[in-house]
Amino acid sequence: MHIVVCVKQVPDTTEVKIDPETNTLDRSSAPAIINPYDAHAVDEAVRLKEQHGGKVTIISMGPPGAVEVIKKCIELGADEGYLLSDRKFAGSDTLATSYILAKGIETICQDNPFQLIFCGKQAIDGDTAQVGPGIARRLLIPQLTYVNEVTAVDSAKEVITVHRKLDDGYEVVEAKMPCLITVEKEINQLRYSSLPNMLRAARYQPHMLNADELNADVTNMGLKGSPTSVAKIFAPEQRGEGEIIAGSNDETINQLIQKLSDQMAK
Amino acid sequence: MPKKFDAIVVGAGMAGLAAAYKMSSEGLSVVVIERGDYPGAKNVMGGVLYRSMMEELIPEFWKEAPLQRPVVEQRFWMLDKQSVVTSGYKDESWAEEPYNCFTVFRGEFDRWFAKKCEEKGALIINETLVESCIVDDGKVIGVQTNRPEGDLYANVVVLADGVNSLLGKQLGFHREWEPQQVALAVMEELKLPEEVIEDRFNLEPGMGTTIELFGQGTMGMVGTAFIYTNKQHISIGVGALLSQIREKQVQPYQLLENLKQHPAVRPLVRGAEPVEYYAHLIPEGGYNSIPKLVSDGVVVVGDAAQLVNGIHREGSNMAMTSGRLAAEAVIHACNMGHFDRDALSSYENELNNSFVIKDLEKYKDASHLLESNPRYFNNYIPTANMALREMLTVDGVSKKQKQKKLTKSILGKNGLFTLGKDIYQMWKAVR
Ligand SMILES: Cc1cc2nc3c(=O)[nH]c(=O)nc-3n(C[C@H](O)[C@H](O)[C@H](O)COP(=O)(O)OP(=O)(O)OC[C@H]3O[C@@H](n4cnc5c(N)ncnc54)[C@H](O)[C@@H]3O)c2cc1C
Ligand SMILES: Cc1cc2nc3c(=O)[nH]c(=O)nc-3n(C[C@H](O)[C@H](O)[C@H](O)COP(=O)(O)OP(=O)(O)OC[C@H]3O[C@@H](n4cnc5c(N)ncnc54)[C@H](O)[C@@H]3O)c2cc1C
């Protein structure tokens, strides 16, 4: 079984700062890390490989420095990694990103067709959750989003069964492979990488692919291929402190009703 | 993938990285195992990095390494409760290539140094703890890590695991350090704008200064305090013998607060925003505490070997030099194909011939003397302050009268004999 995992390098948003004057992310303020959901996607792919045999290939679009997150994936047990990096990709929105990744997947799977593509649920910086579905649509394969458990893979029948997370429970869904899956963090607990995998990752050099090598239409890439226009970016205002109404029951209920009706009157 | 490396280095600090850089430059297969998230993540230093020892590994490293400021001035302060006697030395030539020393952040510097090792072919494995050495028939043949399938083998293991060196202890090279063999140091990084730092410390743009403080800075305990300038931060720290900190029952952060409140220090750090706080041990046992350095299949370098000159706050340079000399011995051993104690013994010989052991030997009694004789810190520093206060306060008393009063006060406390003895002993300890 050939499993491709899409992995994005993101700024660690727990440490990122917003420039108060320009309202933009100060990316230099935060270290670059692997998108946390994507790490779970890699781990799940490696678990399936351990059960069913095959190969796990990582693909990422990003600046040259993103080789580090691919190496991290090798630590987690992936076999190969490809970095799509080119100035022509710069400024891509989700539409263009999914185009580039789909073309990349076609290129690297020419001789070894994939059965599964894994993505994270969403990226912690862009947060759109659009790239996975975008890739599935472009490759014309089924998609299973928000998956928190893979329950069965039947390689003979080429069918996968998963749990999709819902607000109040989960649904059990089957899909024909090849298909694309986006994962929740609960899907697994990241394992501590083995020392042989750490050594392999320390030596590993990912394959690099540029725009010309993708056999793709450059007008669908980068700023040209990105219809998204950003109207305004702002940091949300800090929410004010809550208020606790203390006292006996009747009293507090009356106070609460009074406050609510004041608010409605405003 | 080779199952066995030429060398495993435990710890990506100055000592381990220096050894790894040298060995991989000579084509040895080297793996460095570091428990922190990245090299330098756990490493604490004021810190002044000495140019010449680093240059023996990477010539003109200052052109690309992440450094803070070249140090152009070194000041020495003797603090009493609300006064200070100052001295120092400033040299314009230190502001030019090849420089004398630099302030650095170890988090940045070690990461860069590790990258240079990788360029030479060394593998750096982070987030991995070495739990023990694998010993076969009395010979170290590898290490056991906390990872699955975590055993790793090599001809030589270089122990660069820092001041505590649990691995050295497991091998019986040293015992648990006594509280008088280590100092506990705490330090803070305080953020200030570049120009403010340059104004307050009287510096040309980009240049740096260091201040070593004795006396009240450590509340009279044996130790020192320091203030170093970085680009946009001041590093301020204080360390004292663990035995004395315990005895006096002071909290480490109190030491630092006390220092920052001193009238001579307060204006330097005013309005600065604390951004990091560290605590770390420093080896202070000196020459008399040096453990076994070489055994079959293993060498010990840097803080793990207690190679720190506390009197001159030199540690990183000794770490680098010991790492480099150990690497040369390993390279030599590889050429011969033997890795026993004899084959590696050139490390010990070379170290003995270097400034490292010579300096440590020279000062071998100094720390002990300062510890066992409280007069140096508790009497003589206040006396020096008092003497200058007397001579420089213009109050109508004649100078002759003042000198008389001074002599009486200096001798009155301990007598001429004690003073003579103390001077002689100190001279003997550092001569
Ligand atoms: C309003 C807005 C404006 C933007 N403007 C710009 C801009 O002007 N210039 C610019 O450069 N960017 C811009 N971006 C960012 C860019 O569009 C997205 O970061 C990128 O397309 C991925 O989308 P996402 O981060 O929402 O990923 P999601 O769709 O949330 O990611 C889901 C999953 O897709 C996969 N994935 C996503 N991105 C990659 C990748 N690069 N490589 C491999 N796998 C990946 C991962 O598996 C990830 O877990 C903008 C984003 C938004 C929301
Ligand atoms: C507050 C302070 C200020 C100082 N100021 C100066 C100064 O200005 N100038 C100067 O020259 N020296 C200074 N020193 C001393 C200097 O920091 C040390 O001498 C120097 O860092 C020693 O280098 P090392 O490589 O031997 O040890 P370290 O730098 O301590 O490195 C040891 C490494 O080993 C790792 N490690 C430990 N155990 C294991 C294990 N079992 N498995 C895996 N990894 C492990 C640690 O994480 C660490 O990265 C100062 C020290 C302190 C505490």
Side-chain angles (χ1 to χ4, degrees), chain B residues 304-323:
Chain B
Q306 305 294 295
L307 305 178
V308 168
N309 180 346
I311 307 268
H312 284 267
R313 66 116 152 80
E314 292 178 18
S316 64
N317 56 341
M318 298 197 161
M320 282 185 284
T321 298
S322 62

Side-chain angles (χ1 to χ4, degrees), chain A residues 67-122:
Chain A
V67 294
E68 293 304 323
V69 303
I70 294 181
K71 288 180 141 204
K72 186 85 201 167
C73 298
I74 304 290
E75 287 181 9
L76 294 170
D79 298 288
E80 293 292 338
Y82 289 80
L83 178 62
L84 315 181
S85 199
D86 198 311
R87 284 188 178 281
K88 296 191 182 110
F89 301 155
S92 295
D93 67 1
T94 57
L95 193 73
T97 302
S98 63
Y99 176 74
I100 295 162
L101 287 171
K103 284 292 168 192
I105 293 168
E106 282 175 359
T107 307
I108 64 184
C109 293
Q110 252 164 13
D111 303 323
N112 186 4
F114 63 88
Q115 279 71 50
L116 285 173
I117 298 175
F118 274 100
C119 285
K121 172 178 92 165
Q122 66 197 54

Side-chain angles (χ1 to χ4, degrees), chain A residues 31 68 71-72 75 191-204, chain B residues 1-2 5 31 115 123-128 145-152:
Chain A
E68 293 304 323
K71 288 180 141 204
K72 186 85 201 167
E75 287 181 9
R191 291 174 292 178
Y192 203 46
S193 304
S194 72
L195 191 60
N197 280 350
M198 299 293 290
L199 291 169
R200 181 158 183 273
R203 290 198 179 92
Y204 189 77
Chain B
M1 180 181 315
F5 288 85
V31 57
K115 270 260 159 319
L123 300 182
I124 311 275
I125 305 293
N126 296 315
E127 297 175 272
T128 305
T145 70
N146 63 342
R147 296 225 168 240
E149 303 166 65
D151 290 359
L152 204 59

Side-chain angles (χ1 to χ4, degrees), chain A residues 45-59:
Chain A
V46 171
R47 285 169 198 257
L48 290 179
K49 177 188 90 169
E50 285 165 3
Q51 287 164 24
H52 302 277
K55 178 177 173 186
V56 174
T57 303
I58 305 298
I59 183 166

Side-chain angles (χ1 to χ4, degrees), chain A residues 162-211:
Chain A
V162 304
H163 290 182
R164 284 190 73 224
K165 188 176 173 181
L166 305 176
D167 277 347
D168 49 1
Y170 62 86
E171 62 182 15
V172 183
V173 211
E174 257 182 32
K176 189 96 181 119
M177 298 197 289
C179 68
L180 181 141
I181 292 177
T182 79
V183 307
E184 297 274 355
K185 282 187 191 169
E186 303 97 275
I187 194 163
N188 53 40
Q189 212 162 18
L190 290 186
R191 291 174 292 178
Y192 203 46
S193 304
S194 72
L195 191 60
N197 280 350
M198 299 293 290
L199 291 169
R200 181 158 183 273
R203 290 198 179 92
Y204 189 77
Q205 285 305 325
H207 308 271
M208 305 292 286
L209 289 174
N210 61 27

Side-chain angles (χ1 to χ4, degrees), chain A residues 6-9 35 37-38 59-62 90-95 97 101 118-123 125-132 135 223 228-230:
Chain A
C6 302
V7 170
K8 187 182 183 189
Q9 184 193 44
N35 182 36
Y37 295 98
D38 302 356
I59 183 166
S60 182
M61 179 191 89
S92 295
D93 67 1
T94 57
L95 193 73
T97 302
L101 287 171
F118 274 100
C119 285
K121 172 178 92 165
Q122 66 197 54
D125 57 344
D127 262 343
T128 67
Q130 291 174 355
V131 172
I135 296 170
L223 282 176
T228 310
S229 73
V230 181

Side-chain angles (χ1 to χ4, degrees), chain B residues 11 13-15 34-35 43-46 48 106 130 161 303 315-316:
Chain B
M14 290 287 180
E34 166 59 43
R35 66 183 168 175
N43 297 344
V44 181
M45 187 166 112
V48 177
R106 289 285 301 276
V130 173
D161 53 340
D303 275 11
S316 64

